[in-house]
Amino acid sequence: MDTIKDYVQKNKERFLNELIDLLKIPSVSADSAYSQDVIDTANAVKASLEKAGCDFVEICDTPGYPIVYGEKIIDKNLPTVLVYGHYDVQPPDPLDLWTSPPFEPVIKKTDLHPDGAIFARGACDDKGQMYMHVKALEYMVQTNNLPCNVKFMIEGEEEVGSASLSWFVERNQEKLKNDVILISDTGMISNTQPSITTGLRGLSYVEVEVTGPNRDLHSGLYGGAVANPINVLAKMIASLHDENNHITIPGFYDKVEELSDAERAEMAKAPFSLEAYKKALDLNDIYGEKGYTTNERNSIRPTLDVNGIWGGYTGEGAKTVIASKAYAKISMRLVPNQDWHEITELFTKHFESIAPSGVTVKVKPHHGGQGYVTPIDSIGYQAAAKAYNESFGVQPIPVRSGGSIPIVALFEKELKSKTILMGFGLDSDAIHSPNEHFGVFNYLKGIETIPLFYKYFVELFKVK
Amino acid sequence: MDTIKDYVQKNKERFLNELIDLLKIPSVSADSAYSQDVIDTANAVKASLEKAGCDFVEICDTPGYPIVYGEKIIDKNLPTVLVYGHYDVQPPDPLDLWTSPPFEPVIKKTDLHPDGAIFARGACDDKGQMYMHVKALEYMVQTNNLPCNVKFMIEGEEEVGSASLSWFVERNQEKLKNDVILISDTGMISNTQPSITTGLRGLSYVEVEVTGPNRDLHSGLYGGAVANPINVLAKMIASLHDENNHITIPGFYDKVEELSDAERAEMAKAPFSLEAYKKALDLNDIYGEKGYTTNERNSIRPTLDVNGIWGGYTGEGAKTVIASKAYAKISMRLVPNQDWHEITELFTKHFESIAPSGVTVKVKPHHGGQGYVTPIDSIGYQAAAKAYNESFGVQPIPVRSGGSIPIVALFEKELKSKTILMGFGLDSDAIHSPNEHFGVFNYLKGIETIPLFYKYFVELFKVK
């Protein structure tokens, strides 16, 4: 019988080409111009699950984009793994910064990926990492190594808040019943030091609009005499952080879990070079909340960032105008115990309260999600650790990620099971950025590691 | 012999249709996409000057857009009036706020313009006001009422800083020799209370760029750990005004002329209703520098306004990104004695100095110009006052405008003559905004008033 290593080697080219075909479809969920492509991607995922060996696959309609559900039930008495992933991708802009078109995947070598990496929007987040599970299933089915039942739930709105997925999960608890949820939508420290994400930050994403005069005005005739919505918006945004970069929204930190010195010391053990970090981003210095290290700032601390701002004349040349309106998209990363609905309310109340007279302010909540922490004593975590250890030959390190997968907290609430975050990407893979890529090594290593998780999970489950 | 009133009545329809044809050409000097249209407009202006009776008209090449020069010299011993205007217009965006397309002129009635107003970009600023002078010349030539020599200099880069005009003026002092410069590119208080602009603000226009990380980053993985260029730009912009809305740039106010209480009391006599002002703009309150009235804030005080800002994701939906770069276009209105080169330097030095470590800042000066004041005891001002008084039946009031015509200070320096600003627009004409318009009454009244200026100027010149 083939070992997984042999199987991956034998099918390497096909595995890469199948993923490349999937990456060619621009499934940008944030932009309705791509809606047909998002649907086409769902259908491609359905076909791939059938081909991989699911007994039953369906496209489930939702109020938004469909969810692809697939399953292979081999024995009702065996445990069930629910695989979650998403087939939608982030918008590709700014396009001019891509060295190759975002939806024309190419394999190029990089310093960190000497075997080459697939460059395309969604290569790592999340088509590539999701497709590893499809190919792992194919292997287990083809070689009779599937030790338990498996279910797939692949959604198309992760990049815009997973609204339809919550709707779907709330209505399909029985269908989605499982013993552990497996997700590959995070990263690891490096290709020589695997890690398992045990914490995720929550998210609150809002859009704000500041309105001054009822029309754009000549800045000469009105400049200095009316509130300029852009200047006002800048002042309001600036006031959201104090001189120590603490967030000034009243009540914002009330429920933030403060880690013990011991826990912080444990975290500090993860290999990290500030010099390399700054060099990779061409930064002369870092920046952030006083009293915390870089790794703490982007994992155990909540943050507030403007993700986009616009107003007035942004074209070529000069226009002496005072805009009627100015806008910003603002997101807050939250830590466990911060409730995103509550934070969104606190933000809205505060932001409206600091608007000076002379302007009106609107806050429109976009979406959000709760933070999450995986217990490292769960059999799911232990099975994942054994799997990485066997395929990489190194014990994985548990790490807290700064990112958010809003749906994970909902899974625990609705499906009563723990989520294991087996990520194979690297921070340098530029997800959400131009030139997103995913290492060929990482892709194949993921396919190789996943069946080991199934094996150890079922073993540990039986002795439980 | 026709009086000007009769002549205007008889030719009213044609005067309107000729202007409408000129307004159909989108001569947007700020956007190179329109460059052919700008050239076409110069040729249309040349043709109109020939038709109106100039003996000599030429398109003068410059490093930028051409200048249309025309003249009618009737007697070397008589004084010469130099008419200046511009045939370029502001960009029309935001297009969606126009009630009719900016380059498809239509005449619509408004509360302030019961006889109708021409709605089009450039209707008032400055094609409409410039064309009044062409039609006034036609009248004076057709009816043998031209009492002196006249020269026209109509440029195509006023909305982007008149760089080529300075170049042209410096090289053609002899050709442009004149006894008074006449410009209609300003407004008046109302159709029942004419006014003459005796002061203009200077301008310094810059574009700033803040760069953080070398690529867009995932706000979850990096949020809170690196300087976000948008948040930083907001903080820097916010810091440019203090809590009293004074500008914080060191040295900014050093040369600002402080008006005496007497002068301020004189200014305060101009009819002004704060309630009407707020109502016209749908503002619940005004805003501005502490210690000054609205009319002082937008005329005798320097200001700083952001005219445009952009960075990060501004499309539909949500994108959790930290942008690599953020940008703003910032303009400062200056008062007499403030040198725009010096202010641009002060701004640049200060803005670079307040950049926190973790970002780099670039300041790119766009253009600028000096402020200007017209002495009301000059014969030019007196002739203009008599002309308005006769055509409106009301004595005009001298006012300081908040706007800038950067070239006026240069005219005085290079051509050694005073500029008279005979404006016929209203503040409510929405120049630089969507739905710019120019009253039919104002257009025709301008054509009627201008020949009276010539008449009185020559009379006063002879007795001088």
Side-chain angles (χ1 to χ4, degrees):
Chain A
M1 182 204 81
D2 275 359
T3 68
I4 175 69
K5 270 192 171 15
D6 303 334
Y7 192 86
V8 167
Q9 274 318 307
K10 205 178 300 166
N11 297 283
K12 185 179 159 174
E13 289 313 313
R14 177 170 59 84
F15 287 177
L16 285 168
N17 293 332
E18 287 177 14
L19 174 55
I20 283 169
D21 287 341
L22 194 62
L23 290 168
K24 286 178 180 168
I25 319 175
S27 51
V28 180
S29 50
D31 184 343
S32 50
Y34 294 96
S35 50
Q36 186 52 52
D37 301 299
V38 180
I39 304 295
D40 294 347
T41 310
N43 290 315
V45 171
K46 174 173 186 279
S48 71
L49 284 171
E50 284 159 343
K51 199 153 141 285
C54 283
D55 313 319
F56 171 73
V57 186
E58 63 178 336
I59 299 269
C60 305
D61 290 334
T62 73
Y65 287 119
I67 285 158
V68 184
Y69 174 82
E71 65 179 31
K72 186 169 184 68
I73 308 300
I74 59 171
D75 179 345
K76 291 243 171 300
N77 304 315
L78 286 170
T80 300
V81 174
L82 173 63
V83 175
Y84 162 81
H86 62 95
Y87 61 82
D88 64 320
V89 300
Q90 279 276 320
D93 49 283
L95 284 171
D96 55 324
L97 296 183
W98 284 78
T99 55
S100 57
F103 299 109
E104 294 171 27
V106 287
I107 295 178
K108 290 181 274 190
K109 288 186 170 31
T110 76
D111 296 352
L112 289 173
H113 296 296
D115 305 346
I118 307 165
F119 281 75
R121 167 59 81 229
C124 178
D125 176 19
D126 180 50
K127 284 175 176 169
Q129 295 214 74
M130 174 269 290
Y131 205 69
M132 296 181 310
H133 290 268
V134 180
K135 295 295 99 180
L137 173 69
E138 173 193 312
Y139 160 75
M140 292 186 284
V141 171
Q142 291 297 317
T143 60
N144 301 310
N145 280 313
L146 180 63
C148 61
N149 306 308
V150 57
K151 296 175 177 176
F152 282 81
M153 173 171 59
I154 313 300
E155 72 153 317
E157 296 180 349
E158 198 273 343
E159 302 295 3
V160 292
S162 301
S164 298
L165 183 63
S166 351
W167 178 92
F168 180 75
V169 170
E170 284 155 11
R171 284 162 183 70
N172 293 279
Q173 271 125 333
E174 191 46 43
K175 175 186 213 151
L176 299 172
K177 206 164 175 312
N178 67 81
D179 299 285
V180 69
I181 297 165
L182 192 55
I183 304 180
S184 296
D185 197 17
T186 50
M188 56 182 188
I189 292 171
S190 75
N191 286 355
T192 53
Q193 178 53 71
S195 55
I196 299 171
T197 302
T198 55
L200 291 166
R201 288 198 285 192
L203 177 72
S204 167
Y205 199 112
V206 301
E207 186 165 317
V208 301
E209 174 190 287
V210 175
T211 305
N214 55 7
R215 58 183 170 90
D216 287 4
L217 298 176
H218 185 296
S219 68
L221 302 183
Y222 291 90
V226 300
N228 177 325
I230 301 176
N231 290 76
V232 169
L233 177 59
K235 248 192 165 50
M236 293 174 75
I237 288 169
S239 77
L240 295 175
H241 290 91
D242 68 15
E243 64 286 1
N244 295 322
N245 279 306
H246 293 304
I247 293 157
T248 57
I249 299 166
F252 186 82
Y253 290 101
D254 287 0
K255 296 186 178 165
V256 169
E257 151 210 61
E258 286 291 343
L259 269 65
S260 68
D261 294 353
E263 286 172 292
R264 290 176 69 180
E266 191 51 42
M267 274 189 69
K269 288 187 186 149
F272 177 74
S273 157
L274 192 54
E275 278 324 299
Y277 184 85
K278 286 193 289 187
K279 192 161 172 301
L281 302 174
D282 290 335
L283 293 175
N284 58 10
D285 202 355
I286 50 163
Y287 187 91
E289 188 181 9
K290 198 174 173 185
Y292 295 90
T293 66
T294 292
N295 280 335
E296 290 171 336
R297 286 167 174 169
N298 62 26
S299 63
I300 62 168
R301 297 298 297 171
T303 60
L304 183 152
D305 275 294
V306 180
N307 302 110
I309 191 166
W310 67 103
Y313 182 67
T314 60
E316 194 188 334
K319 184 166 186 239
T320 50
V321 67
I322 291 177
S324 171
K325 289 172 182 291
Y327 304 84
K329 293 176 193 272
I330 299 175
S331 68
M332 289 157 282
R333 296 286 168 170
L334 311 176
V335 294
N337 305 337
Q338 281 184 300
D339 176 80
W340 79 270
H341 300 284
E342 188 184 341
I343 292 294
T344 303
E345 249 172 57
L346 288 175
F347 175 91
T348 305
K349 226 171 102 230
H350 177 65
F351 203 74
E352 288 170 350
S353 74
I354 60 175
S357 61
V359 302
T360 54
V361 166
K362 270 197 219 138
V363 178
K364 172 180 146 211
H366 257 299
H367 66 279
Q370 311 296 21
Y372 181 74
V373 175
T374 310
I376 66 175
D377 55 7
S378 64
I379 63 169
Y381 181 86
Q382 290 163 23
K386 280 165 156 291
Y388 278 101
N389 197 346
E390 182 167 334
S391 62
F392 285 81
V394 184
Q395 186 62 21
I397 296 176
V399 299
R400 290 280 198 97
S401 160
S404 306
I405 307 179
I407 207 67
V408 172
L410 183 101
F411 288 161
E412 174 145 33
K413 178 165 164 290
E414 298 289 334
L415 304 178
K416 313 277 178 292
S417 57
K418 293 286 172 198
T419 293
I420 305 304
L421 300 162
M422 288 180 75
F424 294 90
L426 302 182
D427 274 5
S428 52
D429 287 345
I431 67 172
H432 291 214
S433 305
N435 306 311
E436 173 178 356
H437 56 282
F438 188 37
V440 170
F441 167 87
N442 304 69
Y443 175 56
L444 300 176
K445 206 65 168 173
I447 298 170
E448 188 184 319
T449 308
I450 290 161
L452 296 168
F453 169 83
Y454 282 73
K455 173 176 163 225
Y456 292 119
F457 180 75
V458 174
E459 282 179 14
L460 292 164
F461 188 87
K462 285 175 174 164
V463 301
K464 190 180 71 177
Chain B
M1 182 202 80
D2 277 354
T3 70
I4 176 69
K5 269 189 170 21
D6 303 334
Y7 193 86
V8 167
Q9 275 317 309
K10 206 177 302 166
N11 297 282
K12 185 178 159 175
E13 288 315 312
R14 178 172 58 86
F15 286 178
L16 286 167
N17 293 331
E18 287 177 14
L19 174 55
I20 283 168
D21 288 340
L22 194 62
L23 290 168
K24 287 178 181 168
I25 319 175
S27 51
V28 180
S29 51
D31 185 344
S32 51
Y34 293 96
S35 51
Q36 187 52 52
D37 301 298
V38 180
I39 303 295
D40 294 346
T41 309
N43 290 316
V45 171
K46 175 173 185 281
S48 71
L49 283 170
E50 286 160 342
K51 200 154 141 285
C54 283
D55 315 317
F56 171 72
V57 187
E58 63 179 335
I59 299 270
C60 305
D61 290 333
T62 73
Y65 285 120
I67 285 159
V68 183
Y69 174 82
E71 63 178 32
K72 184 167 186 69
I73 307 299
I74 58 170
D75 178 346
K76 291 245 170 300
N77 304 317
L78 286 171
T80 299
V81 174
L82 173 63
V83 174
Y84 162 82
H86 63 94
Y87 61 82
D88 64 321
V89 300
Q90 279 276 317
D93 50 283
L95 285 171
D96 56 323
L97 296 183
W98 284 77
T99 55
S100 57
F103 299 108
E104 295 172 25
V106 287
I107 295 179
K108 290 181 275 191
K109 287 185 170 28
T110 75
D111 295 353
L112 289 174
H113 296 296
D115 305 346
I118 308 165
F119 281 74
R121 168 59 81 228
C124 179
D125 176 18
D126 180 49
K127 284 174 175 170
Q129 296 214 72
M130 175 269 289
Y131 206 68
M132 297 181 309
H133 291 269
V134 180
K135 295 296 98 179
L137 174 68
E138 174 192 313
Y139 160 75
M140 293 186 284
V141 171
Q142 291 296 319
T143 61
N144 301 311
N145 279 314
L146 180 63
C148 62
N149 307 307
V150 57
K151 296 174 177 176
F152 281 81
M153 172 171 60
I154 313 300
E155 72 152 316
E157 297 180 349
E158 196 273 343
E159 301 295 2
V160 292
S162 301
S164 299
L165 183 64
S166 351
W167 179 91
F168 180 76
V169 170
E170 285 155 10
R171 284 162 182 71
N172 292 279
Q173 272 125 332
E174 192 47 43
K175 174 186 216 151
L176 300 172
K177 205 164 177 310
N178 68 80
D179 299 285
V180 70
I181 297 165
L182 191 55
I183 304 179
S184 295
D185 196 16
T186 50
M188 56 182 188
I189 292 172
S190 75
N191 286 355
T192 53
Q193 177 55 70
S195 55
I196 299 171
T197 301
T198 55
L200 292 167
R201 289 198 285 192
L203 177 73
S204 167
Y205 198 111
V206 301
E207 186 165 318
V208 301
E209 174 191 285
V210 176
T211 304
N214 55 9
R215 59 181 170 91
D216 287 3
L217 299 175
H218 184 297
S219 68
L221 303 183
Y222 292 89
V226 300
N228 178 326
I230 301 176
N231 289 75
V232 169
L233 177 58
K235 250 193 161 50
M236 292 173 75
I237 289 170
S239 77
L240 296 175
H241 290 90
D242 68 15
E243 65 284 3
N244 295 323
N245 279 307
H246 293 304
I247 293 157
T248 57
I249 299 166
F252 186 83
Y253 290 101
D254 287 0
K255 297 187 177 164
V256 169
E257 148 210 67
E258 287 291 343
L259 269 65
S260 68
D261 294 353
E263 287 172 291
R264 291 176 67 178
E266 191 51 42
M267 274 189 69
K269 288 187 186 146
F272 177 74
S273 156
L274 192 54
E275 278 323 301
Y277 185 85
K278 287 193 287 184
K279 190 161 174 302
L281 302 173
D282 289 334
L283 293 175
N284 58 8
D285 201 356
I286 50 163
Y287 188 91
E289 187 181 9
K290 198 173 173 186
Y292 296 90
T293 66
T294 292
N295 280 336
E296 290 171 336
R297 287 166 174 170
N298 62 25
S299 64
I300 62 167
R301 296 300 295 170
T303 60
L304 183 151
D305 275 294
V306 180
N307 302 109
I309 191 165
W310 68 102
Y313 183 67
T314 59
E316 194 188 334
K319 185 165 186 244
T320 51
V321 67
I322 292 177
S324 170
K325 289 172 182 291
Y327 305 84
K329 293 176 193 273
I330 299 175
S331 68
M332 289 157 281
R333 295 287 168 169
L334 312 176
V335 295
N337 305 336
Q338 280 184 300
D339 175 79
W340 79 270
H341 300 284
E342 188 184 341
I343 292 294
T344 304
E345 249 173 58
L346 288 176
F347 175 91
T348 305
K349 224 170 104 237
H350 176 66
F351 203 74
E352 289 169 349
S353 75
I354 59 175
S357 61
V359 302
T360 54
V361 165
K362 270 196 220 141
V363 177
K364 173 180 145 210
H366 258 300
H367 65 279
Q370 312 294 20
Y372 181 75
V373 175
T374 310
I376 64 176
D377 55 6
S378 64
I379 62 168
Y381 181 86
Q382 290 164 21
K386 282 166 156 287
Y388 276 100
N389 197 346
E390 183 167 332
S391 61
F392 285 81
V394 185
Q395 185 64 20
I397 296 176
V399 299
R400 291 280 198 101
S401 161
S404 303
I405 307 179
I407 207 65
V408 171
L410 183 101
F411 288 161
E412 173 143 34
K413 177 165 165 287
E414 298 290 334
L415 304 178
K416 313 279 177 293
S417 57
K418 293 287 174 196
T419 293
I420 305 304
L421 299 162
M422 289 180 74
F424 293 90
L426 300 183
D427 275 5
S428 53
D429 288 344
I431 67 172
H432 291 214
S433 305
N435 306 311
E436 174 178 355
H437 55 281
F438 188 37
V440 169
F441 167 88
N442 305 69
Y443 175 56
L444 300 176
K445 206 66 167 172
I447 299 170
E448 189 184 318
T449 308
I450 290 162
L452 295 169
F453 169 83
Y454 282 73
K455 172 179 163 218
Y456 291 119
F457 181 74
V458 174
E459 282 179 12
L460 291 163
F461 188 87
K462 286 177 174 161
V463 301
K464 190 180 70 175

